[in-house]
Amino acid sequence: MIGTTEGSSFLASDVPAILKFTRQVYYIDNLQVGRIRPGEVLFYDLNGDEVQLPLTEITWDTAAAEKDGYEHFMLKEIHEQPRAVRDTLNSLIRDGAVDLSGAGLTDDILRSIRRIDMVACGSAWHVSVAAQYVIEDLAGLPVRVELASEYRYRRIPSSPDTLVIVISQSGETADSLAALRVAKERGALTLAVVNVIGSTIAREADHTLYTLAGPEIAVATTKAYSAQLIAMDALAVRLALVRGAITEEKCAELITALQAIPDQISRVLEEKQRLQWFSSKIVNTHDIFFIGRGLDYAISLEGSLKMKEISYIHSEAYAAGELKHGTISLIEHNTLVIGVLTQGSLFEKTLSNMLECKSRGAYLMGLTTNGNFSVEDSVNFTVYVPKTDEHFIASVAIVPLQLLGYYTSVNRGLDVDKPRNLAKSVTVE
Ligand code: M6R
């Protein structure tokens, strides 16, 4: 995209990069050329004929691109999550019902889908993994989740009754964009769940659902992840209702649970000092394993990425039941194992996998919901989060893990917002 202001022009792959200079931007398309001079941009097609592109006014608040008194953008964005989740949810709920008409998703379309493929990278892929459990469980619809970098080179048969959902904060991630194009070529119906308005993925998908996280500056995503998660939960609820998998009463109950999430996130944020203290204990740890089953595995994936990308501590997320098939040999004296235990039916199973690690010397942290106090008999440190409908717990349970990654990075004296080797928008393959 290209931005202009009086006397200057800017070329960037993403809006936040230039937000403090200008809000007037042009989105240049494929096979177009922009000629940039200070304060003036002209566009041409490949024949050299001038073309007129619309000037887009970015409505994001410029204050959103300032730290606003926080030490780092990441900490500010973690604290913006109640607002980001509430705004996104409010944009999808009308008169007490999930309404996806803004994305052009009618109930007829939702009823006609036979399969959902979700395609994304990094944290957006972790949202997809979480959403897979929620959609399958609530709506009874088969869902597959693919890394965009893999999907684009596979020959997965699709048809118009396959809905391919591409999730991306930036809307510019090269692999996700390529996957979207491949899905369209294969005849699938496509939905983009995107944060940056007017981005390429948003423009090219058949349907676009915008998350309202606002500009995200820190390389490690937090509020955009949470906004994507709530959008996918709302989609799951609507799918479940129109396909007859849940009653109107159940639907109302689920929507009430979704609407309570912003306040529950605020409550978790009030407990941040405990995470700050615990991070000072683990600051010299070499390896951290995050384990869980079902949705707790999806939460573990994101918790592990948050830790490793900004603290540079080696970390892996594992489906708890899979450890014994090889990885448990890495557990030694004082290896930190963080068990995510929010799913009632899987609690005992995961706890027993944690104890298998403890008996091999691991130091245990448990992350569970209020009331599960028995966990303290087994683990060294416990973090509690408010209870919600178990389908939606990722929105609440991820927050302590974001804080843990953040404080560990700070305690190690690292560049939290710009970790080494990483870019905010990954526009290369
Ligand atoms: O802009 P996107 O959501 O498509 O970006 C996807 C990943 O590059 C991104 O989530 C990345 O994994 C972040 N560094 C995670 O914090």
Side-chain angles (χ1 to χ4, degrees), residues 121-124 168-170 173 219-221 228 305-306 309 426:
C121 303
S123 295
S168 173
Q169 186 285 129
S170 62
T173 302
V219 164
T221 182
Q228 289 163 352
L305 182 62
K306 284 289 89 73
E309 70 179 329
V426 185

Side-chain angles (χ1 to χ4, degrees), residues 8 13 28 33 51 53 110 112 125 140 147 186 200-201 219 247 270 273 303 308 337 359 364-365 382 394 406:
S8 312
S13 56
I28 188 164
V33 177
V51 289
L53 293 188
L110 296 181
S112 70
W125 182 75
L147 291 162
R186 289 178 190 152
T200 314
I201 291 174
V219 164
T247 61
E270 284 163 16
Q273 263 100 3
K308 73 182 118 186
V337 174
S359 67
L364 298 184
M365 171 181 143
T382 314
Y406 170 77

